[in-house]
Amino acid sequence: MGLAEKYIPHYTYDDWVRWEGRWELIEGHPIAMSPMPVPEHQRVAAELITELTLALRKSGCKDCKAYDSIDYKIAENTIFEPDILIVCGKINKSYLDFPPAVIIEILSKSTEERDRGIKYQYYEQEGVKYYLIVDIKKKTIKFMN
Amino acid sequence: MGLSNKIIPHYTYDDYIQWEGRWELIEGHPIAMSPMPIPVHQQLSANLIYEFKDELKKKCKDCKVYSPLDYKVSEDTTIQPDVLIVCGKIKKSCLDFPLSWLLKFFSPSTTLRDRNTKYIIYQEQGVKYYLIVDADKKVIEIYPVD
């Protein structure tokens, strides 16, 4: 049909901020994050955040903190919600608008292709120092850069 | 950074029903609907529904008024018209067969899509009449869909 091609809106942050439910935005396209990730995904995320928080505390680093998923606004039309982040410096807005030091994505069937592909491209382009991918099935954590 | 079809998902009805918020689905693309309709639209909607119901009660047992409803046109297209007249029983949680009358409230942000894309969809589906209500101009445009 190809109807939508002519009339699909190109969404921006101002649209995204009004939407209900959990959505990412990639170059103006809405990407649904519902339904919630499976319990195993959430458990692994919780364990990782705990480890990271403890490690940061132990190291005495006052500047960097570990975060559960927050909105990372890369551009007016691109907003991601990484699973775990380590951010050095203060976040003054309701979203992050500068590159974090670390991003960790936990793979799931619906997100794997994007996590390995376009998100990797963007995170690298933006200067995210470390990007890690967690594969629960294979029990691996891989540094992407 | 041009995006391939692999990166942007092609959503279907099964995805659509899990979304929160007010959305439509056109050829696999999520289309955000404006937030809850303004009071004027709600009033107009209520009045029109009343008028339609009244007329149908007198003349037709088969057709009923609905407002609004998920109209599942195909696996990757589901829209939410504001007011509908459907002849025949709706057995599922959505409408999945062509209907008779379909009404949409005009709002500046949706006009191109409502007039063009949706008209074509309704035409293909055999919808008999498509009405666009402009609350500001106090005008109803009636399009017999042929």
Side-chain angles (χ1 to χ4, degrees), chain A residues 1-5 7-9 11 19-21 23 26-27 29-32 34-35 113-114 118 121-122 125, chain B residues 1-3 6-9 11 18-21 23 26-27 29-32 112-113 116-117 120-121 124:
Chain A
M1 218 193 266
L3 269 184
E5 303 310 317
Y7 303 112
I8 324 166
Y11 293 113
W19 295 342
E20 281 174 62
W23 295 86
I26 301 182
E27 293 180 19
H29 297 268
I31 307 291
S34 348
E113 184 127 29
R114 273 191 298 279
I118 192 156
Q121 283 176 51
Y122 265 107
Q125 186 183 280
Chain B
M1 212 198 262
L3 296 178
K6 276 197 191 174
I7 293 165
I8 305 303
Y11 292 110
Q18 304 199 62
W19 297 342
E20 285 171 61
W23 293 90
I26 299 183
E27 292 177 8
H29 297 270
I31 308 290
L112 252 180
R113 200 159 46 242
N116 298 313
T117 310
I120 297 172
I121 293 174
E124 289 183 358

Side-chain angles (χ1 to χ4, degrees), chain A residues 33-44:
Chain A
M33 294 179 79
S34 348
M36 283 294 283
V38 297
E40 187 66 357
H41 180 290
Q42 303 297 63
R43 182 188 68 75
V44 168

Side-chain angles (χ1 to χ4, degrees), chain A residues 9 11 16 21-23 26 33 59 68 70 77 85-86 89-90 112 120 123 132 141 143:
Chain A
Y11 293 113
W16 172 87
R22 300 167 60 239
W23 295 86
I26 301 182
M33 294 179 79
S59 75
D68 197 348
I70 53 178
N77 64 0
L85 306 86
I86 295 181
K90 270 205 163 141
E112 179 158 358
Y120 175 36
Y123 294 156
L132 288 74
I141 300 183
F143 277 82

Side-chain angles (χ1 to χ4, degrees), chain A residues 9-24:
Chain A
H10 182 97
Y11 293 113
T12 64
Y13 173 79
D14 287 340
D15 302 304
W16 172 87
V17 82
R18 284 190 250 270
W19 295 342
E20 281 174 62
R22 300 167 60 239
W23 295 86
E24 287 179 311

